[in-house]
Amino acid sequence: MPCRDPDDAERREARGGRTVSGTLRSRCRRRIGTWSAVGLTVAVLVAANLVMHRWSGLFGLVTAVAVSALLLGVLRWAGGTRADAGLAPGTLARGARWALALIGLVGVVYLAGALLPATRALFEDQRYEGMNGSELTLRVLVLVPVSTVLVEEIAFRGVLYGLVRRARGTVWATTVSSMLFGLWHVLPSLHLATAKPALTTVFGDSALGAALAVLSAVLFTAAAGVLFCELRRRSGSLLAPMGLHWAVNALGYLVGFLLR
């Protein structure tokens, strides 16, 4: 990866009639390569996945914010910019418009699914049992936006996508990001087959059924990752996949809670 200083690539200081660029050279020497940055990002995500699966609540929120900031730091260490992360100021307004449109679309689809008897059962989830309105509000407005959307979008459609795209192009970036996004969901899917009655009827409650449910979740989320990457590419902003990601998760909780 060529060395770039995104803040001031031409910073120089004139001393005694000579022009020097020691600051730039020093910063260039401290850059890390693209694939080293990708490896470091994956290592951070593995640790974060284990920690966030084990501890939730406030600790999970703090971990999500810390991991997001750390990964953005890795991107910058590798010479990346805010544009590489999908966070360039000039694209935020466009990304926000995409996000609002996608949230509205998901809302319409979920409303139709909730009203149709044939699809209403898809929203049933035993994890909603015992949940009250305050817990739902916390999940929809805090946990999903921070512990899910923020960290996952920055990691997979921001940092990983940006790093690989700089080195190998869009196809490679989409492939690597989406495959890792699917694997990220192994731990959260371990009890999926028994938590959702609609899936229990398909996979059963055996160990084999649980394994097949996890595999299906990995493949499904990897495919969703491709869609999220394409939204990032078309909109030029991370806000577009963030909006869709939040809507699918948060509105899913809301509809499932209301239909329990």
Side-chain angles (χ1 to χ4, degrees), residues 6-75:
D7 294 323
D8 188 0
E10 300 298 332
R11 182 181 299 168
R12 297 176 184 276
E13 181 181 1
R15 293 179 180 175
R18 295 182 304 166
T19 301
V20 297
S21 56
T23 301
L24 177 58
R25 288 195 300 268
S26 175
R27 294 187 67 170
C28 286
R29 283 195 297 267
R30 290 198 295 267
R31 299 293 190 205
I32 61 173
T34 294
W35 298 110
S36 296
V38 169
L40 180 56
T41 298
V42 171
V44 170
L45 287 174
V46 169
N49 197 317
L50 294 172
V51 169
M52 294 174 68
H53 180 70
R54 177 65 179 81
W55 293 284
S56 57
L58 179 60
F59 187 79
L61 287 172
V62 172
T63 300
V65 173
V67 168
S68 300
L70 178 59
L71 293 182
L72 289 174
V74 171
L75 176 64

Side-chain angles (χ1 to χ4, degrees), residues 52 60-61 64-65 68 136-154 241-243 245-247 249-251 253:
M52 294 174 68
L61 287 172
V65 173
S68 300
L136 175 68
T137 301
L138 177 66
R139 187 175 294 272
V140 168
L141 298 182
V142 179
L143 296 180
V144 169
V146 178
S147 296
T148 300
V149 176
L150 178 69
V151 67
E152 292 181 5
E153 291 305 321
I154 284 180
M242 278 184 165
H245 200 162
W246 177 83
N249 285 266
L251 298 184
Y253 279 118

Side-chain angles (χ1 to χ4, degrees), residues 159-177:
V159 174
L160 280 171
Y161 183 87
L163 285 169
V164 180
R165 189 182 189 188
R166 283 160 56 94
R168 290 295 185 90
T170 300
V171 174
W172 268 83
T174 299
T175 302
V176 172
S177 169

Side-chain angles (χ1 to χ4, degrees), residues 41-248:
T41 298
V42 171
V44 170
L45 287 174
V46 169
N49 197 317
L50 294 172
V51 169
M52 294 174 68
H53 180 70
R54 177 65 179 81
W55 293 284
S56 57
L58 179 60
F59 187 79
L61 287 172
V62 172
T63 300
V65 173
V67 168
S68 300
L70 178 59
L71 293 182
L72 289 174
V74 171
L75 176 64
R76 185 168 178 81
W77 189 15
T81 65
R82 284 181 291 181
D84 291 318
L87 297 173
T91 66
L92 296 182
R94 176 179 172 83
R97 291 193 295 270
W98 275 74
L100 290 174
L102 291 164
I103 290 170
L105 177 61
V106 173
V108 170
V109 171
Y110 276 8
L111 178 61
L115 293 176
L116 294 174
T119 55
R120 189 177 302 155
L122 296 175
F123 294 99
E124 295 180 3
D125 193 320
Q126 294 181 359
R127 291 171 293 186
Y128 300 138
E129 295 180 2
M131 183 183 294
N132 57 40
S134 298
E135 292 171 336
L136 175 68
T137 301
L138 177 66
R139 187 175 294 272
V140 168
L141 298 182
V142 179
L143 296 180
V144 169
V146 178
S147 296
T148 300
V149 176
L150 178 69
V151 67
E152 292 181 5
E153 291 305 321
I154 284 180
F156 296 101
R157 264 67 65 181
V159 174
L160 280 171
Y161 183 87
L163 285 169
V164 180
R165 189 182 189 188
R166 283 160 56 94
R168 290 295 185 90
T170 300
V171 174
W172 268 83
T174 299
T175 302
V176 172
S177 169
S178 301
M179 289 178 60
L180 292 173
F181 184 59
L183 293 174
W184 169 269
H185 288 84
V186 169
L187 291 180
S189 304
L190 291 179
H191 304 290
L192 189 62
T194 55
K196 296 186 74 67
L199 294 181
T200 305
T201 59
V202 175
F203 297 107
D205 56 2
S206 65
L208 177 59
L212 291 175
V214 170
L215 177 61
S216 299
V218 168
L219 295 175
F220 178 82
T221 51
V226 174
L227 173 61
F228 289 150
C229 286
E230 183 62 11
L231 288 173
R232 155 75 202 273
R233 185 187 71 83
R234 287 180 177 272
S235 68
S237 172
L238 200 60
L239 294 184
M242 278 184 165
L244 179 59
H245 200 162
W246 177 83
V248 169

